[in-house]
Amino acid sequence: MVSVNRPQNNYSVAELYKYHFAAGAMGLSLSYSCMHPLDTIKTRIQADPTHSWRRIFSREMARSLGKGFFVSALGAAGQGGARFSTYEFCKSQLIPNDKRWAIPATAMSAVIGDLASSVIKVPREVVTAKLQTDHYAGRSTAAYVVRQTLAEEGPRGLFKGFWAIAARDSPFMVILLVSYENFKAFHRRNVHREWLERVKHQRIVASAAFEETGIPTLQTVVYGGISGFMAGYFTTPMDVVRTRMITERRHQHPVSALEMTRRMFRQAAGKPTNMYREFFAGAMPRSLWWFGICGIFFPTYETLKTVMLD
């Protein structure tokens, strides 16, 4: 059983931040590690503007499935820790006893948490994407990619596509966490209803509030996975723009998110089917990737929180 609410009044703000950081770091690193090969497939699909399946699913791609693994896993640890410790802190400060403001407070906390993790997240994504797409042919070490990026573009190169990533991940985190929190609230309402029925018919004297009832692990997997799938699918267009920007070969002038978007519109030639192919390239692998990540992350995160705060 996971997702058990426990009183946190006995812990200081610093202690809660530390525990949430540790749970977020371990949970996100584990989930990214498990789903890394699918991320590589998704990135290579998005990076290829020709949409040639023969080029995407090649021997070269098979050799690239593990590229960027350690950068992704280590970066995800810092990213998850910063994101979810900040998210939990903001949520605890913004959500009052009046639950009518829970959704906007959760949404705002999600955005702030994501921005807090961007300092780690953006360089991680830049380096990982270049490794996955063999941006520097034949040189596949993370250290080489970092050195070459700094030599070609300076420190700004490691933050290439920052605003495209922010435009993608702010709505992503809102959809993800608002959906997940509402799934949990829905579950608890059902548990409460069943509990009241038992009290009514069997005259049971309650020994604990229904909120203390844990959500079964399998249901946490489903709630997290569905939330991740929806968030991943609807934010695919900005993810495609981000991937094309990062993997763009060096030009005299860096390509902005707006320029890349216009270029993709021109390539689509105004046809709805072409528009979908351009902006939703890799949508299903990305959505399934996020289903897997969130299906692993949320049970792990909730379990670790419960263990640490018990």
Side-chain angles (χ1 to χ4, degrees), residues 83 86-87 90-92 94 104-114:
R83 175 183 287 168
T86 305
Y87 166 72
C90 292
K91 195 172 68 165
S92 69
L94 292 174
T106 299
M108 187 176 295
S109 300
V111 172
I112 295 171
D114 183 67

Side-chain angles (χ1 to χ4, degrees), residues 115-134:
L115 290 175
S117 70
S118 293
V119 177
I120 302 168
K121 174 182 63 181
V122 177
R124 178 193 70 78
E125 291 201 11
V126 169
V127 175
T128 303
K130 286 185 175 182
L131 286 168
Q132 290 172 325
T133 57
D134 294 312

